Amino acid sequence: MIKAILTDIEGTITRISFVKEVLFPYAASHIAEFVQNNHAAPEVATQIAAVKAEINQPDASLLDVIATLQHWIATDQKITPLKQLQGMIWQQGYHNRDFTGHLYPDAYQFLQQQFEQGIVLYVYSSGSVKAQHLLFEFSDYGDIRSLFNNYFDTLVGGKKEPQSYHNIVEQIPFAAHEVLFLSDVIEELDAAKSAGLKTCHLVRDGQATSSQHAFIHDFNTFEMEQYT
């Protein structure tokens, strides 16, 4: 019996284009100014040090760090210090009302229904926990953070690594087989399934499907019974 749902964000409950066409360009256009203006702030300094460690250049200049971050954004790298800094930049954008957090209408209705039925909801995204909180605080439907019991990012590991899902299960009060993972990426679903989770593939944009995972095109056709 499914007692909890662990959901991906991008491509699963939000449009991929929201991240690629709104959030990423916003971070790319603001990251140089943000790092230059805030490099002495403790939370920013910690991430700058993490960038230097990642590229194995402890004496890298601030300009080198900024160039590295811009390259990581341009090449869509899932690297933790970048994700943490992006979250800080997006916080400014949300608070300035430069954009709101997109959610598919069917996804919002689904999450609301599952919450009301007593299913415990968790989020696992390559975006930082800070970025996740911001998206749900400033969503198209207002502040919906209360729907979720906890949030996970790449600090628990990469989303295509089975150990990451073991790490998440260790932090929640449910067995792996009681958790349903939602994603639009087959490799993530494969990793979750190998860790013992149930899986559901969201196929919103004509992606290939896999015989290893049940799939739906939107949440209007979701049936919990097939996962029990």
Side-chain angles (χ1 to χ4, degrees):
M1 178 179 178
I2 298 299
K3 297 181 179 179
I5 289 175
L6 177 68
T7 184
D8 168 53
I9 294 180
E10 181 183 351
T12 300
I13 60 174
T14 74
R15 286 194 311 268
I16 292 176
S17 61
F18 172 67
V19 175
K20 295 196 180 326
E21 297 176 8
V22 177
L23 294 184
F24 281 0
Y26 189 89
S29 64
H30 289 79
I31 198 160
E33 179 184 10
F34 179 84
V35 171
Q36 288 171 338
N37 291 345
N38 299 280
H39 64 90
E43 64 177 355
V44 177
T46 297
Q47 300 311 321
I48 291 173
V51 173
K52 293 179 181 180
E54 183 73 27
I55 62 177
N56 197 26
Q57 296 182 33
D59 298 321
S61 69
L62 199 59
L63 290 178
D64 290 335
V65 169
I66 290 170
T68 297
L69 290 165
Q70 290 173 326
H71 172 70
W72 287 348
I73 292 174
T75 55
D76 192 20
Q77 298 296 306
K78 313 294 187 183
I79 300 175
T80 298
L82 169 63
K83 295 301 180 181
Q84 297 297 321
L85 288 167
Q86 284 176 320
M88 298 175 199
I89 294 168
W90 293 332
Q91 182 173 12
Q92 292 184 346
Y94 282 113
H95 280 284
N96 292 339
R97 301 293 179 179
D98 292 335
F99 44 79
T100 57
H102 165 72
L103 286 174
Y104 285 114
D106 63 281
Y108 169 69
Q109 293 165 5
F110 168 79
L111 293 169
Q112 187 75 45
Q113 290 168 355
Q114 297 305 311
F115 176 80
E116 292 172 354
Q117 292 171 13
I119 300 296
V120 180
L121 304 177
Y122 299 97
V123 180
Y124 180 30
S125 173
S126 58
S128 69
V129 168
K130 177 186 284 290
Q132 297 171 35
H133 276 275
L134 289 168
L135 186 148
F136 295 122
E137 180 180 1
F138 297 95
S139 84
D140 295 336
Y141 301 93
D143 187 350
I144 62 169
R145 288 174 295 171
S146 61
L147 292 179
F148 304 101
N149 193 268
N150 207 349
Y151 304 79
F152 301 95
D153 59 20
T154 53
L155 291 176
V156 301
K159 296 182 69 183
K160 298 178 182 179
E161 301 170 8
Q163 185 59 47
S164 303
Y165 300 89
H166 287 297
N167 293 342
I168 290 174
V169 170
E170 289 177 357
Q171 298 182 48
I172 63 177
F174 302 104
H177 69 273
E178 296 174 321
V179 182
L180 176 64
F181 177 57
L182 312 173
S183 177
D184 64 321
V185 178
I186 290 176
E187 293 85 353
E188 295 176 4
L189 296 162
D190 289 342
K193 187 172 184 178
S194 70
L197 283 70
K198 301 292 180 65
T199 56
C200 177
H201 186 193
L202 271 295
V203 184
R204 292 189 180 273
D205 298 301
Q207 304 102 314
T209 59
S210 167
S211 61
Q212 299 301 308
H213 309 286
F215 72 90
I216 55 176
H217 293 288
D218 61 57
F219 288 107
N220 293 319
T221 59
F222 179 87
E223 296 180 359
M224 182 67 83
E225 292 75 15
Q226 67 178 306
Y227 303 101
T228 57

